[in-house]
Amino acid sequence: MSDRAFATRAIHAGQAPDPTTGAIIPPIYQSSTHVQDGVGGLRDGYEYNRAGNPTRSSLQTQLAALEGGAAALSFASGLAAEDALLRSILRPGDHIVIGNDVYGGTYRLLSRVLAPWGIETTTIELGDADQLRAAIRPETKIVWVETPSNPLLKIVDIAQIAEIAHAAGVLVVVDNTFASPALQQPLALGADIVVHSTTKYLGGHSDVLGGALIFGDERFVEQVTFQQFAVGAVSAPMDAWLTTRGIKTLAVRMRQHSENAQAIAEWAQQRPEFEAVYYPGLAGHPGHEIAARQMSAFGGMLSLALSGGPEAARAFAESTELFQLAESLGGVESLIGYPSDMTHASVRGTELAVPENVVRLSVGIEDVSDLIADLEQALGRISG
Ligand SMILES: *Cc1c(COP(=O)(O)O)cnc(C)c1O
């Protein structure tokens, strides 16, 4: 499958028709255990389903193919995947470097769960190579990268970070949730491991939670597989299947998400009600050139800063009709959020705090003229 193009791999990797019945879609193996042919006589290696389940296996094969990885592991949520990875690789006294706009839940995991177990974190402006070099010390094991970041859509150069980190013997982990593998391939750019909240674009329909790790090579596969088995935050068969189903349309969805978001960003730039538009597809975005180099399109996420300040931002987020006010992102339906009191409430008052006049849009794949009309009527309501 590795010689096939992305959209083909997304549909066919790990998805061979059922050999017994010819069902084009492999069955959902909704089973907790597998019968043995005599003690230890496992069929296809399956015994108890925390260790392995055929539906999860086919998702994992599909995920590895999407990112061009050696192997993938699928978990109950993005944070479960992150936790399994961090606890496999880090030991008390170890150190990790993160960007100052890392996903809030990742920051919370590091600062409130792993810090008490002796893991130290340094937060930097990740796009600044000097800050990165200065932050790396002998105990540093991981640089954690998110690009585009949440919610200000900052872009960092994955290849450059990988070069700096690898020169110091430090691993590069990329949370590729915002771009998705359809638009950005971190392993090919030098990253060691990719993390996903499959809850977002990979699932794509706001109907399932999940997380994934994709490994560039075999170095960490065994120890993280052990962690997945020993701790047990695996994806359930139905969840794995829904994610697989979503992934099959990823390439076509990401094209439309990107096209719609670009049109909305260009529209918003013309409106005096917004003092800033954060979207890497705009030529004026500080990360535009790097994004154009390392992504094949600019994605479906964009943020808007309201000229009217925090009250206008909050009122705008409450005035849309198609854009539903909700946390999360990456589904076919458009969402709007007010980060400082929603997704980023947990980082209020920290160095990760988000400007209070910012709203975040997860632009869906509805007809873009309806989406723009909705934003226009919301502006009309808050100025009225
Ligand atoms: C949502 C999200 C996560 C966490 O994933 P869950 O599935 O909610 O546990 C991690 N990183 C990013 C960038 C996210 O958007």
Side-chain angles (χ1 to χ4, degrees):
M1 211 30 82
S2 61
D3 59 335
R4 309 283 188 181
F6 181 85
T8 311
R9 299 200 301 274
I11 292 170
H12 292 287
Q15 305 304 308
D18 178 38
T20 320
T21 65
I24 186 83
I25 300 303
I28 303 166
Y29 289 87
Q30 191 68 48
S31 184
S32 63
T33 193
H34 295 257
V35 171
Q36 306 190 6
D37 299 316
V39 176
L42 307 184
R43 299 188 197 173
D44 229 2
Y46 292 107
E47 46 179 352
Y48 183 63
N49 277 242
R50 180 162 22 74
N53 169 280
T55 309
R56 193 164 92 231
S57 299
S58 67
L59 170 59
Q60 291 178 163
T61 301
Q62 189 187 26
L63 288 165
L66 290 183
E67 292 280 6
L73 293 171
S74 143
F75 293 83
S77 72
L79 279 169
E82 294 184 20
D83 175 56
L85 177 68
L86 292 169
R87 281 191 295 123
S88 298
I89 292 180
L90 301 176
R91 295 289 172 269
D94 284 347
H95 174 241
I96 177 169
V97 177
I98 61 172
N100 57 11
D101 53 358
V102 72
Y103 173 71
T106 303
Y107 183 75
R108 184 175 51 214
L109 176 64
L110 287 165
S111 62
R112 295 185 54 190
V113 179
L114 294 176
W117 291 92
I119 305 300
E120 284 192 56
T121 302
T122 300
T123 305
I124 64 165
E125 185 68 46
L126 203 52
D128 181 336
D130 292 332
Q131 281 195 33
L132 176 58
R133 282 191 202 92
I136 292 176
R137 50 195 214 217
E139 303 77 30
T140 310
K141 292 289 185 312
I142 294 174
V143 176
W144 189 277
V145 178
E146 247 180 87
T147 180
S149 73
N150 177 21
L152 297 182
L153 289 304
K154 281 194 218 167
I155 302 292
V156 295
D157 188 332
I158 296 172
Q160 186 194 39
I161 291 171
E163 207 176 297
I164 295 169
H166 289 162
V170 173
L171 292 170
V172 175
V173 176
V174 175
D175 181 336
N176 203 26
T177 299
F178 264 43
S180 95
L183 306 187
Q184 178 169 275
Q185 301 262 299
L187 299 177
L189 294 165
D192 299 285
I193 298 165
V194 170
V195 174
H196 277 286
S197 169
T198 59
T199 311
K200 316 295 169 52
Y201 286 108
L202 297 187
H205 297 73
S206 308
D207 53 11
V208 60
L209 281 180
L213 301 173
I214 299 103
F215 301 87
D217 56 48
E218 297 288 344
R219 274 175 298 166
F220 302 100
V221 175
E222 196 179 318
Q223 73 205 68
V224 187
T225 302
F226 173 76
Q227 188 85 221
Q228 184 195 43
F229 163 71
V231 180
V234 296
S235 29
M238 188 66 191
D239 290 3
W241 183 81
L242 280 168
T243 307
T244 279
R245 185 186 207 266
I247 286 171
K248 293 177 183 179
T249 54
L250 181 66
V252 66
R253 281 188 285 112
M254 291 315 294
R255 255 197 313 275
Q256 196 61 47
H257 282 297
S258 301
E259 196 180 306
N260 286 3
Q262 181 79 33
I264 290 174
E266 287 170 10
W267 164 82
Q269 257 191 326
Q270 309 301 322
R271 299 288 309 217
E273 294 91 340
F274 303 116
E275 66 175 32
V277 179
Y278 303 92
Y279 186 66
L282 295 175
H285 186 283
H288 177 69
E289 270 179 40
I290 299 171
R293 213 181 323 124
Q294 74 185 6
M295 301 174 76
S296 59
F298 301 102
M301 298 303 298
L302 78 100
S303 290
L304 302 169
L306 277 287
S307 314
E311 271 174 44
R314 183 186 280 272
F316 183 65
E318 291 174 346
S319 299
T320 52
E321 289 167 356
L322 274 176
F323 281 87
Q324 298 290 318
L325 180 64
E327 305 214 354
S328 200
L329 60 112
V332 292
E333 61 289 288
S334 292
L335 301 179
I336 189 165
Y338 181 57
S340 15
D341 277 354
M342 293 172 64
T343 46
H344 290 64
S346 70
V347 294
R348 244 193 143 136
T350 72
E351 55 203 321
L352 277 75
V354 176
E356 290 180 27
N357 66 335
V358 165
V359 298
R360 188 187 78 177
L361 304 183
S362 172
V363 178
I365 60 172
E366 301 95 334
D367 191 290
V368 73
S369 58
D370 286 330
L371 296 179
I372 290 176
D374 186 33
L375 298 173
E376 268 168 357
Q377 71 76 31
L379 285 178
R381 281 217 250 169
I382 65 168
S383 68

